[in-house]
Amino acid sequence: AGRDDGEREGVEVFRLAAPFLRGGAASDATFAGLTFTMTGSLQTRPECKKRSPRSSTVGSVPDAARSAKMYSALGYTYEQQKQYKKAIDSYRRAILLDRDNLDAIRGLAQNLLNDGQTDAALEQYKIIADANPEDAETYIRMAEIYRRSGKFEEALDALKKAASMVPDSMEVPYNIAAVYQAQGHYDEAIQVLLDYRRDYPHGQYSEGVGRKLAVAYAAAGQGAAAAAEFEHIASDPAEDPAVVHDALTQAADLYQKTGNTARAMAMLERLVKQYPTPVPDAIEVRQRLADLATQSGDMERARYWQRAIVQADAEAGAARTERTKYLAAQAQLALAAPIRDTFRSIRLVAPLKRTLAAKTRALEAAVQAYKEVAAYQVAQTTTAATYETAELYHTLAQDLLASQR
């Protein structure tokens, strides 16, 4: 059974490696595959040591077929499948066969990094840097490891070396900005990112630049600039909907904090329009809009959003929650206030019959409005509605007494 398992594993190795090889290398892969056991060790079975007149594969392939090229190809295949530990093993075998194979060393380093073995990866990149000091890509990868490890000055040194070799690189300044951000040097990061945007307006990392700028501006206390960047992100029609939602939310928060109520409301209105679900979240956004309109003194707009809250809660169905019901009750209570005020404003004067009829109609409208508040059965608003209803009748009684004098 163990032998059968080994043969099956060998066939799989050959299947993986063969597409990347040409000519005689395919024969190498055949041999290596058929002798690769389940334990991951390369073994020559006794029956493979002699040429068999009846065999056209194993016996006909020399031991030299265990080539570094095959193992590198196999390592690359495993890397594409995200099987990093197997890739590491394959690249190590390639290096054992050819210690000067920088491509295999680079593959080993990258897969060590993918596997979270940063210290081991760094050692391999240092070997490449020593062998080829003009390899900018190696310094970029070393900088990535230094940044992950919190060694920011070493990361910057490595990136500056890379920049001297490839002055037109788009990756180097982008990574330098990332290091500055990780250091908390937001002003420096902002400047590098702005330079990148100027020099490479349609560059490889142009989308990421906006996001990094937004975060850096916010961290640097430049809320208005951060809000504008988030708004720019949200305006990209190709952006992921979840990213757009987050960007609109961030922009609204920052605009509000910086006192730009108009832009904050514009962002929130987009949120409601573009993301009507989940219903509870959309109702919360409408509540913010109602609050901002109230704070701005725009009561007509505030009432618009209060009515929208009541309607959204009424149509929520299974999505309705205690919170949405509470917000709808509060909105209904606020909407009852101008109806109450209309009742209060009608004075009982001669001819009393006409003004009393108008006041009675206004009373009925106000009482109905507070009944609708009480219907939500929310303790806080029900208490308020009961009180306001009693006050309506008390006001009518006082006005009648005053009219008789």
Side-chain angles (χ1 to χ4, degrees):
R3 177 172 173 173
D4 291 341
D5 289 342
E7 288 176 350
R8 281 195 293 271
E9 178 72 4
V11 171
E12 176 65 9
V13 171
F14 172 63
R15 183 186 69 79
L16 292 170
F20 295 90
L21 305 174
R22 296 291 184 270
S27 297
D28 295 354
T30 303
F31 174 82
L34 291 174
T35 57
F36 199 118
T37 70
M38 287 296 288
T39 59
S41 61
L42 193 66
Q43 300 175 353
T44 302
R45 298 195 180 107
E47 64 267 31
C48 297
K49 291 182 179 179
K50 293 183 180 181
R51 179 188 299 273
S52 168
R54 299 172 63 183
S55 171
S56 61
T57 54
V58 176
S60 63
V61 181
D63 287 350
R66 301 175 187 179
S67 66
K69 181 179 179 181
M70 185 277 294
Y71 281 117
S72 290
L74 185 58
Y76 177 77
T77 304
Y78 280 133
E79 180 180 348
Q80 297 306 300
Q81 296 177 348
K82 301 186 186 304
Q83 298 187 60
Y84 300 127
K85 293 190 185 299
K86 288 186 176 182
I88 290 167
D89 181 70
S90 297
Y91 280 121
R92 279 180 171 153
R93 291 172 183 273
I95 294 166
L96 283 174
L97 292 168
D98 182 2
R99 295 185 181 279
D100 296 324
N101 188 335
L102 294 184
D103 288 339
I105 297 172
R106 189 186 306 282
L108 174 59
Q110 183 59 52
N111 282 278
L112 287 167
L113 188 61
N114 292 342
D115 196 48
Q117 301 181 50
T118 53
D119 291 341
L122 181 60
E123 289 306 312
Q124 297 303 315
Y125 281 123
K126 286 180 177 179
I127 292 172
I128 301 172
D130 289 340
N132 186 4
E134 299 302 313
D135 185 356
E137 182 66 23
T138 296
Y139 288 106
I140 292 173
R141 300 284 79 80
M142 289 172 67
E144 180 183 352
I145 294 172
Y146 283 132
R147 179 175 62 82
R148 289 187 186 184
S149 304
K151 298 177 180 179
F152 301 126
E153 293 305 322
E154 290 90 337
L156 288 173
D157 287 343
L159 287 169
K160 287 174 183 177
K161 287 180 182 178
S164 68
M165 301 170 198
V166 283
D168 294 331
S169 168
M170 289 185 279
E171 184 176 8
V172 172
Y174 188 77
N175 288 352
I176 287 175
V179 175
Y180 280 139
Q181 280 191 279
Q183 283 181 298
H185 297 173
Y186 299 111
D187 290 338
E188 291 89 339
I190 289 167
Q191 189 56 57
V192 171
L193 291 168
L194 289 174
D195 290 344
Y196 181 98
R197 176 177 279 176
R198 179 198 63 212
D199 296 337
Y200 309 105
H202 304 292
Q204 179 182 359
Y205 302 99
S206 56
E207 291 184 8
V209 165
R211 299 182 191 186
K212 284 187 176 295
L213 270 173
V215 173
Y217 277 134
Q222 301 183 44
E229 288 296 336
F230 279 119
E231 182 176 358
H232 179 73
I233 293 168
S235 299
D236 183 355
E239 189 56 88
D240 181 86
V243 173
V244 172
H245 183 282
D246 182 64
L248 286 171
T249 302
Q250 295 274 13
D253 292 345
L254 288 162
Y255 277 133
Q256 186 173 351
K257 287 178 182 177
T258 55
N260 193 339
T261 302
R263 292 311 306 157
M265 293 184 73
M267 297 300 99
L268 293 171
E269 287 177 8
R270 281 188 58 187
L271 271 175
V272 169
K273 182 177 180 180
Q274 293 178 222
Y275 302 92
T277 57
V279 172
D281 292 348
I283 289 178
E284 293 285 354
V285 175
R286 292 182 180 93
Q287 183 61 52
R288 284 187 65 182
L289 283 161
D291 291 342
L292 286 172
T294 301
Q295 292 164 16
S296 301
D298 188 348
M299 298 313 299
E300 181 178 350
R301 198 63 180 164
R303 285 191 286 273
Y304 170 86
W305 289 113
Q306 287 159 357
R307 285 191 292 270
I309 291 169
V310 171
Q311 181 178 352
D313 174 73
E315 296 173 352
R320 194 185 197 201
T321 67
E322 289 301 313
R323 173 65 179 172
T324 65
K325 190 166 73 167
Y326 170 80
L327 292 177
Q330 290 282 6
Q332 192 73 66
L333 182 64
L335 288 168
I339 302 174
R340 175 205 61 195
D341 293 342
T342 298
F343 163 76
R344 288 177 176 176
S345 68
I346 298 174
R347 296 178 61 194
L348 295 179
V349 295
L352 185 59
K353 185 176 181 180
R354 182 185 301 171
T355 55
L356 181 58
K359 198 168 185 72
T360 300
R361 287 193 298 272
L363 172 65
E364 291 171 350
V367 169
Q368 179 58 37
Y370 286 116
K371 281 183 179 179
E372 292 173 6
V373 174
Y376 284 95
Q377 296 183 341
V378 173
Q380 183 178 343
T381 52
T382 298
T383 299
T386 302
Y387 171 81
E388 291 290 350
T389 301
E391 283 295 299
L392 290 172
Y393 288 108
H394 178 68
T395 299
L396 178 61
Q398 286 187 319
D399 288 352
L400 284 170
L401 286 174
S403 69
Q404 293 173 0
R405 298 192 192 102

